[in-house]
Amino acid sequence: VDLSDIGTEHADLAGEKMARLGELGHRLELRVPGGFVVTARASRLLPESAPLRSHVQRLAATGSHADADALVALIEQAPTPPEVEAAITVASERYSARFAVRSSAIGEDCQCSFAGQFETKLNVARDQVPRAWQAVVASLFSPRAMAYRRGLGLPWQQAAMAVGCLELVDAKAAGVAYSADPADPDEPTIPVTAAPGLGVAVVEGRQGVDTYHVSRGQFRVERTRIGEKREMAVPSPNGGVRWLPVSGEGRGRPVLSSAQAAGVARAVCRIE
């Protein structure tokens, strides 16, 4: 399903993450990457296939990490269902040659965050998107994802994974912004974090990230903390991501201007 046709009412089909991204694009008219969603229905075709069904049943009986790891490996290596591969091939031809393939599990980013539990594939070539989809679906059954579900009292047998296939943005800078600081909810400013290149350094919690605190209403940068940026993540020519060193003077240079940080904060408030 094309991202431009999805809104929050489609969360049971596309997952909360992609449903909200679609909402931002075609209802709030904010700039989001182009792309499509492989629906949750497709994810159910893999573990229900005959060769994998017995392994699913074994995992249901044991709940062991070893059986979970084995099931993940088998799903990753299994043939892609022909109808899913055909649909992905047709959909991907409308977009650029490189994709970010991201989880959008049913219930993810809803009552439960599932942050860091599922696989993400960056800089995926068009002909590799079906296999990347499969790897993201397989991560539903990883030991850490299953342990997270158990801790919340959620039955893993009902888990389903929609997957967003988005045009990769070869970013000069990327990061995360919050309308309220999760570490300090009483903080009156909007924190905008950024690093050079792709956003991997920020979401992995690496050192060398810039933080801009932007005031509400006036959208003025009140204070900044500029990190020492020693390396940056960029798309690798052969797919995936590689890390490059940041040049001497660039290490201490802000990656965003005040106007850019304020623009991000305005978008965050509009979304909120």
Side-chain angles (χ1 to χ4, degrees), residues 43-202:
S43 74
R44 295 188 175 99
L45 297 177
L46 277 165
E48 289 177 0
S49 65
L52 292 172
R53 198 172 298 134
S54 63
H55 294 278
V56 173
Q57 291 168 350
R58 183 189 308 160
L59 180 60
T62 67
S64 75
H65 283 198
D67 285 335
D69 281 332
L71 182 58
V72 168
L74 286 167
I75 291 175
E76 288 180 340
Q77 296 161 16
T80 305
E83 62 269 45
V84 178
E85 185 164 19
I88 291 174
T89 299
V90 170
S92 63
E93 288 174 351
R94 298 197 295 271
Y95 298 100
S96 67
R98 294 285 168 174
F99 291 85
V101 182
R102 308 199 60 206
S103 69
S104 186
I106 305 304
E108 182 181 3
D109 286 356
C110 189
Q111 290 90 348
C112 314
S113 74
F114 285 93
Q117 302 300 313
F118 302 126
E119 190 71 32
T120 293
K121 297 292 186 182
L122 297 179
N123 193 25
V124 178
R126 183 182 287 117
D127 63 350
Q128 293 300 309
V129 172
R131 301 308 299 181
W133 165 77
Q134 212 149 307
V136 175
V137 172
S139 68
L140 261 181
F141 303 98
S142 71
R144 66 181 181 181
M146 291 184 63
Y148 185 88
R149 282 187 171 277
R150 276 198 302 272
L152 295 169
L154 300 173
W156 66 266
Q157 294 89 339
Q158 296 176 13
M161 175 71 77
V163 177
C165 304
L166 310 174
E167 288 182 303
L168 182 75
V169 176
D170 188 4
K172 293 180 179 178
V176 176
Y178 292 99
S179 61
D181 190 338
D184 184 6
D186 294 327
E187 165 63 46
T189 60
I190 297 165
V192 178
T193 58
L198 302 177
V200 180
V202 177

Side-chain angles (χ1 to χ4, degrees), residues 233-244:
V234 300
S236 172
N238 299 319
V241 170
R242 61 176 175 166
W243 291 90
L244 296 179

Side-chain angles (χ1 to χ4, degrees), residues 142-271:
S142 71
R144 66 181 181 181
M146 291 184 63
Y148 185 88
R149 282 187 171 277
R150 276 198 302 272
L152 295 169
L154 300 173
W156 66 266
Q157 294 89 339
Q158 296 176 13
M161 175 71 77
V163 177
C165 304
L166 310 174
E167 288 182 303
L168 182 75
V169 176
D170 188 4
K172 293 180 179 178
V176 176
Y178 292 99
S179 61
D181 190 338
D184 184 6
D186 294 327
E187 165 63 46
T189 60
I190 297 165
V192 178
T193 58
L198 302 177
V200 180
V202 177
V203 298
E204 288 186 354
R206 293 187 179 224
Q207 299 297 313
V209 172
D210 295 351
T211 304
Y212 307 80
H213 288 271
V214 184
S215 61
R216 285 181 174 270
Q218 295 82 18
F219 297 109
R220 182 174 59 244
V221 176
E222 299 289 346
R223 63 185 189 276
T224 61
R225 186 179 71 246
I226 306 303
E228 185 179 4
K229 297 165 285 290
R230 294 180 176 272
E231 57 183 359
M232 61 188 289
V234 300
S236 172
N238 299 319
V241 170
R242 61 176 175 166
W243 291 90
L244 296 179
V246 176
S247 63
E249 64 177 22
R251 291 182 177 183
R253 181 187 302 143
V255 295
L256 297 181
S257 68
S258 294
Q260 288 170 329
V264 171
R266 283 192 179 92
V268 164
C269 285
R270 190 173 174 198
I271 294 166

